[in-house]
Coordinates of all heavy atoms in Angstrom, one line a residue:
P45 N 13.5 97.3 89.0 CA 13.4 98.1 90.2 C 14.5 99.2 90.1 O 15.6 98.9 89.6 CB 13.6 97.1 91.3 CG 14.3 96.0 90.8 CD 13.8 95.9 89.3
P46 N 14.3 100.3 90.6 CA 15.3 101.4 90.6 C 16.5 101.0 91.5 O 16.3 100.4 92.6 CB 14.6 102.6 91.2 CG 13.4 102.1 91.9 CD 13.0 100.8 91.3
Q47 N 17.6 101.3 91.0 CA 18.8 101.0 91.8 C 19.1 102.2 92.7 O 18.9 103.3 92.4 CB 20.0 100.8 90.9 CG 19.8 99.6 89.9 CD 19.7 98.3 90.6 OE1 20.4 98.1 91.6 NE2 18.9 97.4 90.2
P48 N 19.6 101.9 93.9 CA 19.9 103.0 94.9 C 21.0 103.8 94.3 O 22.0 103.3 93.8 CB 20.2 102.3 96.2 CG 20.6 100.9 95.8 CD 19.8 100.5 94.5
Q49 N 20.8 105.1 94.4 CA 21.9 106.0 93.9 C 22.7 106.5 95.1 O 22.2 106.7 96.2 CB 21.2 107.3 93.3 CG 20.3 106.9 92.1 CD 21.2 106.4 90.9 OE1 22.3 106.8 90.8 NE2 20.6 105.5 90.1
P50 N 24.0 106.7 94.9 CA 24.8 107.2 96.0 C 24.4 108.6 96.4 O 24.2 109.5 95.5 CB 26.2 107.2 95.4 CG 26.0 107.2 93.9 CD 24.7 106.5 93.6
Q51 N 24.3 108.9 97.7 CA 23.9 110.2 98.2 C 25.1 111.0 98.4 O 26.2 110.6 98.7 CB 23.2 110.0 99.6 CG 21.9 109.2 99.5 CD 20.9 109.9 98.7 OE1 20.8 111.1 98.6 NE2 20.1 109.1 97.9
P52 N 25.0 112.3 98.1 CA 26.1 113.2 98.3 C 26.5 113.4 99.8 O 25.6 113.3 100.6 CB 25.6 114.6 97.7 CG 24.2 114.5 97.8 CD 23.8 113.1 97.6
Q53 N 27.7 113.5 100.0 CA 28.2 113.6 101.4 C 28.0 115.1 101.9 O 28.6 116.0 101.2 CB 29.6 113.2 101.5 CG 29.8 111.7 101.1 CD 29.1 110.8 102.1 OE1 29.1 111.0 103.3 NE2 28.6 109.7 101.6
V54 N 27.3 115.3 102.9 CA 27.1 116.7 103.5 C 27.8 116.7 104.8 O 27.5 115.9 105.7 CB 25.6 117.1 103.6 CG1 25.5 118.5 104.2 CG2 24.9 117.0 102.3
H55 N 28.7 117.6 105.0 CA 29.5 117.7 106.2 C 29.0 118.8 107.1 O 29.0 120.0 106.7 CB 31.0 117.9 105.9 CG 31.6 116.8 105.1 ND1 32.0 115.6 105.7 CD2 31.9 116.8 103.8 CE1 32.5 114.8 104.7 NE2 32.4 115.5 103.5
T56 N 28.3 118.5 108.2 CA 27.7 119.5 109.1 C 28.3 119.3 110.5 O 28.5 118.2 110.9 CB 26.2 119.4 109.2 OG1 25.9 118.1 109.6 CG2 25.5 119.6 107.8
A57 N 28.5 120.4 111.1 CA 29.1 120.4 112.5 C 28.0 120.1 113.5 O 27.0 120.9 113.5 CB 29.8 121.7 112.8
P58 N 28.0 119.0 114.2 CA 26.9 118.7 115.2 C 26.9 119.8 116.3 O 27.9 120.3 116.7 CB 27.3 117.3 115.7 CG 28.8 117.3 115.5 CD 29.1 118.0 114.2
L59 N 25.6 120.1 116.7 CA 25.5 121.0 117.8 C 26.0 120.4 119.1 O 25.7 119.2 119.4 CB 24.0 121.4 118.0 CG 23.4 122.2 116.9 CD1 21.9 122.4 117.2 CD2 24.1 123.6 116.8
Q60 N 26.8 121.2 119.8 CA 27.4 120.7 121.0 C 26.3 120.9 122.2 O 25.5 121.8 122.1 CB 28.6 121.5 121.4 CG 29.7 121.4 120.4 CD 30.2 120.0 120.2 OE1 30.4 119.3 121.2 NE2 30.5 119.6 119.0
P61 N 26.4 120.0 123.1 CA 25.4 120.1 124.2 C 25.4 121.4 125.0 O 24.4 121.9 125.4 CB 25.8 118.9 125.1 CG 26.5 117.9 124.2 CD 27.2 118.8 123.2
Q62 N 26.6 122.0 125.1 CA 26.7 123.2 125.8 C 26.0 124.4 125.0 O 25.5 125.3 125.6 CB 28.1 123.6 126.1 CG 29.1 123.7 124.9 CD 29.7 122.3 124.6 OE1 29.2 121.3 125.0 NE2 30.9 122.4 124.0
D63 N 26.1 124.3 123.6 CA 25.4 125.3 122.8 C 23.9 125.2 123.0 O 23.2 126.2 123.1 CB 25.8 125.1 121.3 CG 27.3 125.4 121.1 OD1 27.8 126.1 121.9 OD2 27.8 124.9 120.1
I64 N 23.4 124.0 123.0 CA 21.9 123.8 123.2 C 21.5 124.3 124.5 O 20.5 125.0 124.7 CB 21.6 122.3 123.0 CG1 21.9 121.9 121.5 CG2 20.1 122.1 123.3 CD1 21.7 120.4 121.3
A65 N 22.3 124.0 125.6 CA 22.0 124.4 126.9 C 22.0 125.9 127.0 O 21.2 126.6 127.7 CB 22.9 123.8 127.9
G66 N 23.0 126.6 126.4 CA 23.1 128.0 126.4 C 22.0 128.7 125.8 O 21.4 129.7 126.3
T67 N 21.6 128.2 124.6 CA 20.4 128.8 123.9 C 19.1 128.6 124.7 O 18.3 129.6 124.9 CB 20.2 128.1 122.5 OG1 21.4 128.2 121.8 CG2 19.0 128.7 121.8
A68 N 18.9 127.5 125.3 CA 17.7 127.3 126.2 C 17.8 128.2 127.4 O 16.7 128.7 127.8 CB 17.7 125.8 126.6
R69 N 19.0 128.4 127.9 CA 19.0 129.2 129.1 C 18.7 130.7 128.8 O 18.0 131.4 129.5 CB 20.4 129.1 129.7 CG 20.6 129.9 131.0 CD 21.9 129.7 131.7 NE 23.1 130.0 130.8 CZ 23.8 129.1 130.2 NH1 23.6 127.8 130.4 NH2 24.8 129.5 129.4
R70 N 19.2 131.1 127.6 CA 19.0 132.5 127.2 C 17.5 132.7 126.9 O 16.9 133.8 127.3 CB 19.8 132.9 125.9 CG 21.2 133.1 126.2 CD 21.9 133.8 125.1 NE 21.8 133.0 123.8 CZ 22.7 132.0 123.5 NH1 23.7 131.7 124.2 NH2 22.5 131.4 122.3
E71 N 16.9 131.7 126.3 CA 15.4 131.9 126.0 C 14.6 131.9 127.3 O 13.6 132.6 127.4 CB 15.0 130.7 125.1 CG 15.5 130.8 123.7 CD 15.2 132.2 123.0 OE1 14.0 132.6 123.1 OE2 16.1 132.8 122.4
G72 N 15.0 131.0 128.2 CA 14.3 131.0 129.5 C 14.5 132.3 130.3 O 13.5 132.8 130.8
D73 N 15.7 132.9 130.2 CA 15.9 134.2 130.9 C 15.1 135.3 130.2 O 14.5 136.1 130.9 CB 17.4 134.6 130.8 CG 18.3 133.6 131.7 OD1 17.7 133.0 132.6 OD2 19.5 133.6 131.5
R74 N 15.0 135.2 128.9 CA 14.2 136.2 128.1 C 12.7 136.1 128.5 O 12.0 137.1 128.7 CB 14.4 136.0 126.6 CG 13.7 137.1 125.8 CD 14.0 136.9 124.3 NE 15.4 137.3 124.0 CZ 16.4 136.5 123.6 NH1 16.2 135.2 123.6 NH2 17.6 137.0 123.3
L75 N 12.2 134.9 128.6 CA 10.8 134.7 129.0 C 10.5 135.2 130.4 O 9.5 135.8 130.7 CB 10.4 133.3 128.8 CG 10.3 132.7 127.4 CD1 10.0 131.2 127.4 CD2 9.2 133.5 126.6

Side-chain angles (χ1 to χ4, degrees):
Q47 300 295 323
Q49 299 294 330
Q51 299 295 327
Q53 299 294 324
V54 179
H55 298 281
T56 58
L59 291 175
Q60 300 297 322
Q62 57 270 25
D63 295 335
I64 298 176
T67 302
R69 183 173 58 254
R70 287 194 301 273
E71 291 303 317
D73 292 342
R74 186 177 283 111
L75 290 176

